[in-house]
Amino acid sequence: MGSAILLLSCPDRVGVVAEVATYIAGVGGNIAHAEQHLSDSDDRFFQRLEIDLEAVAGGLAGFASGFEEVARRLDAEWSLYRSTDRAGLGILVSRQAHCLYDILGRWRIGDLPGEVRVVLSNHPDHRDVARAFGVDFHHLPVTPDTKPQQETRMLEILAGCGVELVVLARYMQILTPTFVDAFPDRIINIHHSMLPAFKGGRPYHQAHERGVKVIGATAHYASADLDDGPIIHQDVTRVSHRDAVSDLVRRGRELENNVLAHAVRAHLEHRVVVTGRRTIVFG
Amino acid sequence: MGSAILLLSCPDRVGVVAEVATYIAGVGGNIAHAEQHLSDSDDRFFQRLEIDLEAVAGGLAGFASGFEEVARRLDAEWSLYRSTDRAGLGILVSRQAHCLYDILGRWRIGDLPGEVRVVLSNHPDHRDVARAFGVDFHHLPVTPDTKPQQETRMLEILAGCGVELVVLARYMQILTPTFVDAFPDRIINIHHSMLPAFKGGRPYHQAHERGVKVIGATAHYASADLDDGPIIHQDVTRVSHRDAVSDLVRRGRELENNVLAHAVRAHLEHRVVVTGRRTIVFG
Amino acid sequence: MGSAILLLSCPDRVGVVAEVATYIAGVGGNIAHAEQHLSDSDDRFFQRLEIDLEAVAGGLAGFASGFEEVARRLDAEWSLYRSTDRAGLGILVSRQAHCLYDILGRWRIGDLPGEVRVVLSNHPDHRDVARAFGVDFHHLPVTPDTKPQQETRMLEILAGCGVELVVLARYMQILTPTFVDAFPDRIINIHHSMLPAFKGGRPYHQAHERGVKVIGATAHYASADLDDGPIIHQDVTRVSHRDAVSDLVRRGRELENNVLAHAVRAHLEHRVVVTGRRTIVFG
Amino acid sequence: MGSAILLLSCPDRVGVVAEVATYIAGVGGNIAHAEQHLSDSDDRFFQRLEIDLEAVAGGLAGFASGFEEVARRLDAEWSLYRSTDRAGLGILVSRQAHCLYDILGRWRIGDLPGEVRVVLSNHPDHRDVARAFGVDFHHLPVTPDTKPQQETRMLEILAGCGVELVVLARYMQILTPTFVDAFPDRIINIHHSMLPAFKGGRPYHQAHERGVKVIGATAHYASADLDDGPIIHQDVTRVSHRDAVSDLVRRGRELENNVLAHAVRAHLEHRVVVTGRRTIVFG
């Protein structure tokens, strides 16, 4: 039934592509798209395949059970997704609403292949809009004292509605390592600057003072060191001396929307693989 | 009190800048920003000034009444706006919601210096979201027979809530000349293609068949010939053979949002002047 | 020895990837990179592989002779290139020198994986620079009467120095079908505009009159209808009312250089496949 | 007579524009273009004017002598340039030739409004090409011991041929403060990275290790701290995991060419003003 996406990585050696492709053809699968990458620094092979499963006996489950042996021979890590599956999304947001509105809008018109399940916020402001888009909203105020309890509560809610990907849509609270570890490579953050330049706070002020001619935004997976996780996507826009800090902030918002949405989509389409401090983002 | 924007055009001759600036200084105004353009093809001078009126006796009205004589001497067309004024916006939309959501979101977070007053649609779908954003919604279905009456009704509603700028947010009905003439250079349309290439219907299909490597979107003022009005803004994104028509359509939506919002903002900031078939968009 | 690039296209069916990969692994080749595309419109499969041949008996020739049978079974068109081979380039140029200088410079510093063999021009102006870069130069003036003879002479020179790719670096003479047919999909032209907009002459004048906010350039294979061949690459740059036609022309030159160089490089790296009126350009 | 460019900066107060414009009109000059900027951080006013001097008695000199009194009243710094003047350029280059070739090519076809007078290099390699473009070449090898003498020699040569702007076209020797001070805000350097990210050596290696998705180049005025001078222009290009360091380096070269040429042109057109650590680049 339908088609599947296979993500695979293993030590490079002669015949990997043949072995995988031969298995697929053997069970009657057809490779609709394929892309691969050989990482020179660690001699590791990465592959993403879109496979038509129409003619495969047992469908996805049948395919997977037979593939286990192939993967063992190749010493491969792999995962398999049904193309039509829609991962559950949870959005964390504070006061600034632009990324929240943007994701809700894109999702509602069908442009994000996931399912927005819940919006969590340390402010009550966005309840009405979330609900107009048909999404549950929880207000979870955070103080230094209540942070651990509230994070526990957040993890419960996210688990309770089957969230697989957490999107930090300008969420201004620093997450504890406990929270981050609960979603390894499954929390996407938007940094309102071109990393690694202007790390930390008030990057648009820094950019203005330095007189840069280009500003950027960076979407990356959250890691213990918040601004240092693997970069998924970046983009820039041209600025000039005529732009006050407030203009940079406003123009940054559009950039943040587009970059975050691009990264979320790439993740949902199973096109992102993390390797060390970097990502491979298949086209 | 506060500041004003003066848009001016007149036949070019020695001393125009001096005459205008001398008047401004004479009444105690300070020029915060100024930009001008000399159109070689018709020897016409265009200027946009942001003027601090703090010290001007009589404020905006006082400034304007004195300026009349200057304008007469220069044979100038001119208009004067309070910087803090927020023009009323009316949005016309059909089924596709991306531009509607995008404008509502930007407006709500304060990124558009106007006031969205009303959403009119020939479909009922967008009522809930419009209202969650605090905007009136009218469902005005259109058939070939009812178009004239419905347009009359639309004009009444737009007038009734003080709309000064009409935004066609993927409104799929062709407007009659009567409607277009009611808002001269005050209807902004988004064309889902890079004009003048791929005019008319299904531009993404045309682009795909031709194998272009870049797609674009164009925001322009509506004119009698719908796709031929003065262009306000354009932008593009890179595409490849991997993009199916549906990918082009989806990627086009993001482009359409950004290009339309850019054009609407430029208009609301009084930075666009139409001259002949072209625009001057001050920076 | 070294590595090879295999370009392949055939009707799509289950097992194509497996069959090709199994052959490669069987002869001891290792697939360093691979990219494939399934054209939905005609159910045709396209693939580009970079193969390490170190361990293949008989090297490239051995690989090729064994592959013939695989290709026959798949009903495939294919070609095989040694990665280190450098195709011979011939440049045709008229008075405007920017593309000529740009290609010579890029080639001399090692940025183009080809070998510039000869420059042919209907003007004598560029002899000194060509020679300083170590390239032969022939002045072949063209009149309506002499065009057939001169084209014959050009074809002789190009053949004589082993030219495989002809670059029209702003060559202002229209080539006859005879000449174009001598280099099928091996003549790259740069069109100083975003095709299909502003076809034909003086595109920057047309763009200026229409008040467009973006200008572009298009590199494409030459075909009988000169501006209608398959597009290889396009790019754009933002312009405004401040740009006179002469500014558009100047800014277009930079665009033309970059777009033409990009297309020539893609061709030389065997990343371009023509299918119908379109190209597939592997990444 | 032709036209002139006036660059002016002074403390902001009511009437500056009027005073300048009134003087210009009074002597019969016509303002063809004007752009101004008010720097909020230090309340300073900056203006660039293109003035038609056809009807001005005494031409440029007449204009200047009368303007002195206006400038004194405004407490202004100012400079005045004939539009047709072509500043002398000196290019410093080491082994890597791409920026050298690019500037020579652009200059020769008339795309840079300056006059390349001399090429100085610590390597002998580029003599032939420089001469084919009609430019003097001096080979000045540098060792730690000979650097002071060679810099003295370089300053003599540059002075001897009337060089007003020094372009560091990938010149890999660090200049002493003595040299830098001899050309205040008149040495343009190209930094092969997006400042302030990846300062210092091997920025493309750093970018690759960090897995960034965008690389950039920065043209700036040289200052004592080499990578910290005022930024004139920046641009970026998109990269991916498929780009090896050598690809980043190659793609960086095209970026460096375009960014450096853009900055040199802006300087030569008198569009750049340095204020503190930043620049104003008029459009």
Side-chain angles (χ1 to χ4, degrees):
Chain A
M1 283 315 167
S3 69
I5 291 158
L6 174 64
L7 276 178
L8 173 98
S9 79
C10 64
D12 187 44
R13 66 161 171 77
V14 166
V16 175
V17 178
E19 206 150 334
V20 172
T22 299
Y23 171 77
I24 294 169
V27 297
N30 195 24
I31 301 176
H33 292 283
E35 206 178 325
Q36 61 182 66
H37 179 65
L38 184 56
S39 172
D40 288 336
S41 50
D42 55 1
D43 248 345
R44 199 162 175 87
F45 173 89
F46 297 86
Q47 194 173 32
R48 181 185 184 276
L49 296 128
E50 292 182 33
I51 307 163
D52 184 343
L53 298 178
E54 284 295 331
V56 177
L60 192 86
F63 184 96
S65 74
F67 192 71
E68 263 171 42
E69 197 196 308
V70 179
R72 204 175 308 120
R73 278 202 307 274
L74 298 172
D75 193 17
E77 295 175 29
W78 62 289
S79 43
L80 188 70
Y81 308 90
R82 207 178 297 276
S83 298
T84 50
D85 278 355
R86 293 286 170 262
L89 264 75
I91 303 176
L92 272 56
V93 63
S94 294
R95 272 235 168 79
Q96 294 183 55
H98 55 289
C99 287
L100 172 68
Y101 291 170
D102 187 72
I103 293 171
L104 289 175
R106 290 184 198 248
W107 165 65
R108 172 90 162 241
I109 63 170
D111 268 359
L112 279 187
E115 181 70 27
V116 180
R117 297 267 167 78
V118 68
V119 174
L120 306 181
S121 180
N122 54 333
H123 294 281
D125 316 19
H126 310 308
R127 187 181 304 269
D128 286 1
V129 169
R131 294 205 169 155
F133 279 96
V135 179
D136 273 351
F137 177 92
H138 295 265
H139 174 212
L140 296 162
V142 174
T143 66
D145 284 352
T146 63
K147 178 176 280 195
Q149 299 97 290
Q150 290 294 49
E151 278 201 353
T152 304
R153 179 82 189 104
M154 287 159 74
L155 288 172
E156 285 167 8
I157 295 172
L158 295 170
C161 45
V163 163
E164 290 157 88
L165 177 68
V166 175
V167 180
L168 304 183
R170 307 293 290 125
Y171 183 65
M172 307 309 282
Q173 296 289 325
I174 292 173
L175 298 169
T176 64
T178 309
F179 191 100
V180 173
D181 290 348
F183 288 93
D185 295 342
R186 291 191 292 123
I187 302 174
I188 297 181
N189 190 23
I190 180 74
H191 190 277
H192 50 322
S193 159
M194 192 64 117
L195 292 176
F198 304 131
K199 267 196 200 185
R202 297 168 50 100
Y204 295 125
H205 285 80
Q206 293 182 56
H208 189 257
E209 276 158 32
R210 189 66 181 80
V212 299
K213 304 305 183 190
V214 150
I215 57 166
T218 303
H220 62 94
Y221 288 114
S223 64
D225 177 354
L226 257 192
D227 292 347
D228 217 39
I231 295 169
I232 306 168
H233 192 59
Q234 301 188 291
D235 204 0
V236 303
T237 197
R238 196 170 290 291
V239 298
S240 81
H241 63 274
R242 287 177 302 200
D243 291 295
V245 170
S246 60
D247 296 312
L248 300 188
V249 169
R250 174 179 54 74
R251 302 184 60 186
R253 280 197 280 262
E254 181 174 288
L255 215 43
E256 291 160 32
N257 284 352
N258 294 338
V259 169
L260 179 58
H262 187 109
V264 168
R265 156 183 304 282
H267 180 99
L268 293 172
E269 293 175 349
H270 311 294
R271 292 195 281 108
V272 190
V273 182
V274 174
T275 172
R277 293 175 63 208
R278 290 180 291 158
T279 62
I280 293 164
V281 183
F282 287 112
Chain B
M1 286 320 159
S3 67
I5 291 159
L6 174 63
L7 278 177
L8 173 98
S9 79
C10 65
D12 187 45
R13 65 160 172 78
V14 167
V16 175
V17 177
E19 205 150 336
V20 172
T22 298
Y23 171 77
I24 294 170
V27 296
N30 194 25
I31 301 176
H33 293 282
E35 206 178 324
Q36 61 182 68
H37 178 66
L38 184 55
S39 172
D40 289 335
S41 50
D42 54 1
D43 248 344
R44 199 162 174 86
F45 173 88
F46 298 85
Q47 194 173 31
R48 180 186 184 274
L49 297 129
E50 291 182 33
I51 307 161
D52 184 344
L53 297 178
E54 286 295 331
V56 176
L60 191 86
F63 183 95
S65 75
F67 192 71
E68 262 170 43
E69 196 195 310
V70 179
R72 205 174 309 121
R73 277 202 306 274
L74 298 173
D75 192 17
E77 294 174 29
W78 62 289
S79 42
L80 186 70
Y81 308 91
R82 207 177 298 275
S83 298
T84 50
D85 278 354
R86 295 286 167 264
L89 265 75
I91 303 176
L92 272 57
V93 63
S94 294
R95 272 232 167 80
Q96 294 183 55
H98 56 287
C99 287
L100 171 67
Y101 291 170
D102 187 71
I103 292 170
L104 288 175
R106 290 183 198 249
W107 165 65
R108 172 89 163 239
I109 63 170
D111 269 359
L112 280 187
E115 181 71 28
V116 180
R117 297 270 166 78
V118 69
V119 174
L120 306 181
S121 180
N122 53 332
H123 294 281
D125 316 20
H126 310 309
R127 185 181 307 268
D128 286 0
V129 169
R131 295 206 169 154
F133 280 96
V135 179
D136 273 350
F137 178 92
H138 294 266
H139 175 211
L140 297 162
V142 174
T143 65
D145 283 352
T146 63
K147 179 175 280 196
Q149 299 97 290
Q150 290 294 50
E151 279 201 353
T152 304
R153 179 83 190 103
M154 288 160 74
L155 288 172
E156 284 168 8
I157 296 171
L158 295 170
C161 44
V163 162
E164 291 156 87
L165 177 68
V166 174
V167 180
L168 305 183
R170 308 292 290 124
Y171 184 66
M172 306 309 282
Q173 296 288 325
I174 292 173
L175 297 169
T176 64
T178 309
F179 191 100
V180 173
D181 290 349
F183 288 93
D185 296 339
R186 291 191 291 122
I187 302 175
I188 297 182
N189 189 24
I190 180 72
H191 191 275
H192 49 324
S193 160
M194 192 63 118
L195 292 177
F198 305 131
K199 267 196 199 185
R202 296 167 50 99
Y204 296 124
H205 285 80
Q206 292 182 58
H208 189 258
E209 275 158 33
R210 190 64 181 81
V212 299
K213 304 305 183 191
V214 150
I215 57 166
T218 303
H220 62 95
Y221 287 114
S223 64
D225 177 354
L226 258 192
D227 293 346
D228 218 37
I231 294 170
I232 306 169
H233 192 58
Q234 302 187 291
D235 203 1
V236 303
T237 195
R238 196 170 290 291
V239 298
S240 80
H241 62 275
R242 288 178 302 202
D243 291 294
V245 170
S246 60
D247 296 312
L248 300 187
V249 169
R250 173 179 53 75
R251 303 184 60 187
R253 281 196 279 260
E254 182 174 286
L255 214 44
E256 290 159 34
N257 284 351
N258 294 339
V259 169
L260 178 58
H262 187 108
V264 168
R265 157 183 303 284
H267 180 99
L268 292 173
E269 292 176 349
H270 311 294
R271 293 194 281 107
V272 190
V273 181
V274 174
T275 171
R277 293 176 62 208
R278 291 180 291 158
T279 63
I280 293 164
V281 184
F282 287 112
Chain C
M1 284 316 164
S3 68
I5 291 159
L6 175 64
L7 277 177
L8 173 97
S9 81
C10 65
D12 187 44
R13 66 161 170 76
V14 167
V16 174
V17 177
E19 204 150 336
V20 172
T22 299
Y23 171 77
I24 294 169
V27 298
N30 195 25
I31 300 176
H33 292 283
E35 205 177 326
Q36 62 183 66
H37 179 66
L38 184 55
S39 172
D40 288 336
S41 51
D42 55 1
D43 249 344
R44 198 162 174 88
F45 173 88
F46 297 86
Q47 195 174 33
R48 180 186 184 274
L49 297 128
E50 292 182 33
I51 307 163
D52 185 343
L53 298 177
E54 284 294 331
V56 177
L60 191 86
F63 183 97
S65 74
F67 192 71
E68 262 170 42
E69 197 195 310
V70 179
R72 205 173 307 119
R73 279 202 307 275
L74 299 172
D75 193 16
E77 294 175 28
W78 61 289
S79 42
L80 187 71
Y81 307 90
R82 206 177 298 275
S83 298
T84 50
D85 278 354
R86 294 285 168 264
L89 265 75
I91 303 174
L92 271 56
V93 63
S94 294
R95 272 235 166 80
Q96 293 183 56
H98 55 288
C99 287
L100 171 68
Y101 291 170
D102 187 71
I103 293 171
L104 289 175
R106 289 182 198 249
W107 165 65
R108 171 90 162 239
I109 63 169
D111 269 359
L112 279 187
E115 181 71 28
V116 179
R117 297 268 166 78
V118 68
V119 174
L120 307 182
S121 180
N122 54 331
H123 292 282
D125 317 19
H126 310 308
R127 185 182 305 268
D128 285 0
V129 169
R131 295 206 167 154
F133 279 96
V135 178
D136 273 352
F137 177 93
H138 295 265
H139 174 212
L140 297 162
V142 174
T143 65
D145 284 352
T146 64
K147 179 176 279 197
Q149 300 97 289
Q150 290 295 49
E151 278 202 353
T152 304
R153 179 80 189 106
M154 286 160 74
L155 288 172
E156 284 168 7
I157 295 172
L158 295 170
C161 43
V163 163
E164 290 157 86
L165 177 68
V166 174
V167 180
L168 305 182
R170 309 290 292 122
Y171 183 66
M172 306 309 282
Q173 296 289 325
I174 293 173
L175 297 168
T176 65
T178 309
F179 191 100
V180 173
D181 290 349
F183 288 93
D185 296 340
R186 292 192 290 121
I187 302 175
I188 296 181
N189 189 24
I190 180 74
H191 190 276
H192 50 322
S193 160
M194 193 64 117
L195 292 177
F198 304 130
K199 268 195 200 185
R202 298 170 46 102
Y204 295 125
H205 285 79
Q206 293 182 58
H208 189 258
E209 275 158 32
R210 190 65 181 80
V212 299
K213 304 305 183 191
V214 149
I215 58 166
T218 302
H220 62 93
Y221 287 115
S223 64
D225 177 353
L226 256 193
D227 291 347
D228 218 38
I231 294 169
I232 307 169
H233 192 60
Q234 301 188 292
D235 204 0
V236 303
T237 196
R238 196 171 291 291
V239 298
S240 81
H241 62 275
R242 288 177 302 203
D243 291 294
V245 170
S246 59
D247 296 312
L248 300 187
V249 169
R250 174 179 53 75
R251 302 184 60 185
R253 280 196 280 260
E254 182 173 287
L255 215 44
E256 291 160 33
N257 284 351
N258 294 339
V259 169
L260 179 59
H262 187 108
V264 168
R265 156 183 304 282
H267 180 99
L268 293 173
E269 293 175 350
H270 310 295
R271 294 194 281 109
V272 190
V273 182
V274 175
T275 172
R277 291 176 65 207
R278 291 180 291 158
T279 62
I280 293 163
V281 183
F282 288 111
Chain D
M1 285 316 164
S3 68
I5 292 158
L6 174 64
L7 276 177
L8 173 97
S9 80
C10 65
D12 187 44
R13 66 160 172 78
V14 167
V16 175
V17 177
E19 204 149 338
V20 172
T22 300
Y23 171 76
I24 294 170
V27 298
N30 195 25
I31 300 176
H33 293 282
E35 206 176 326
Q36 61 182 69
H37 179 65
L38 184 55
S39 172
D40 289 335
S41 51
D42 55 1
D43 249 345
R44 199 164 173 85
F45 173 88
F46 298 85
Q47 195 173 32
R48 180 185 184 277
L49 298 128
E50 292 183 32
I51 307 161
D52 185 342
L53 298 178
E54 286 294 332
V56 176
L60 191 87
F63 184 95
S65 74
F67 192 70
E68 261 170 44
E69 197 196 309
V70 180
R72 205 174 308 122
R73 279 202 307 275
L74 299 172
D75 193 17
E77 295 175 28
W78 62 290
S79 43
L80 187 70
Y81 307 90
R82 205 178 299 275
S83 299
T84 50
D85 278 354
R86 294 286 168 263
L89 266 75
I91 303 175
L92 272 56
V93 62
S94 294
R95 271 233 166 79
Q96 293 183 55
H98 55 288
C99 287
L100 172 67
Y101 291 170
D102 187 72
I103 293 171
L104 288 175
R106 289 183 198 249
W107 164 65
R108 172 90 162 239
I109 63 171
D111 268 359
L112 280 187
E115 181 71 27
V116 180
R117 297 269 167 79
V118 68
V119 175
L120 306 181
S121 181
N122 53 333
H123 293 281
D125 316 20
H126 310 308
R127 186 182 304 269
D128 286 1
V129 169
R131 295 205 168 155
F133 279 96
V135 179
D136 273 351
F137 177 93
H138 295 265
H139 174 211
L140 296 162
V142 173
T143 66
D145 284 354
T146 63
K147 179 176 281 196
Q149 301 96 290
Q150 292 294 51
E151 279 202 353
T152 304
R153 179 82 189 104
M154 287 159 75
L155 288 172
E156 285 168 7
I157 296 172
L158 295 170
C161 43
V163 163
E164 290 156 86
L165 177 69
V166 174
V167 180
L168 304 183
R170 308 290 292 123
Y171 183 66
M172 307 309 281
Q173 296 289 324
I174 292 173
L175 297 169
T176 65
T178 309
F179 191 100
V180 173
D181 290 347
F183 287 93
D185 296 340
R186 291 192 290 123
I187 303 175
I188 297 181
N189 190 23
I190 180 73
H191 190 276
H192 49 323
S193 160
M194 194 62 118
L195 292 177
F198 304 131
K199 266 195 199 185
R202 295 167 52 98
Y204 295 124
H205 285 79
Q206 292 182 57
H208 189 257
E209 275 157 33
R210 189 65 182 81
V212 299
K213 305 304 183 192
V214 150
I215 58 167
T218 303
H220 62 94
Y221 286 114
S223 65
D225 177 354
L226 257 191
D227 292 347
D228 219 36
I231 294 169
I232 306 169
H233 192 59
Q234 302 188 291
D235 204 359
V236 303
T237 197
R238 196 171 290 291
V239 298
S240 81
H241 62 274
R242 287 178 302 202
D243 291 294
V245 170
S246 59
D247 296 312
L248 300 187
V249 168
R250 173 178 54 74
R251 302 183 60 186
R253 280 196 280 262
E254 182 174 288
L255 216 43
E256 291 160 33
N257 284 352
N258 294 339
V259 170
L260 179 58
H262 187 108
V264 168
R265 157 184 303 283
H267 179 99
L268 292 172
E269 292 175 350
H270 311 294
R271 294 194 281 110
V272 190
V273 181
V274 174
T275 172
R277 292 177 64 208
R278 291 180 291 158
T279 63
I280 293 164
V281 183
F282 287 112

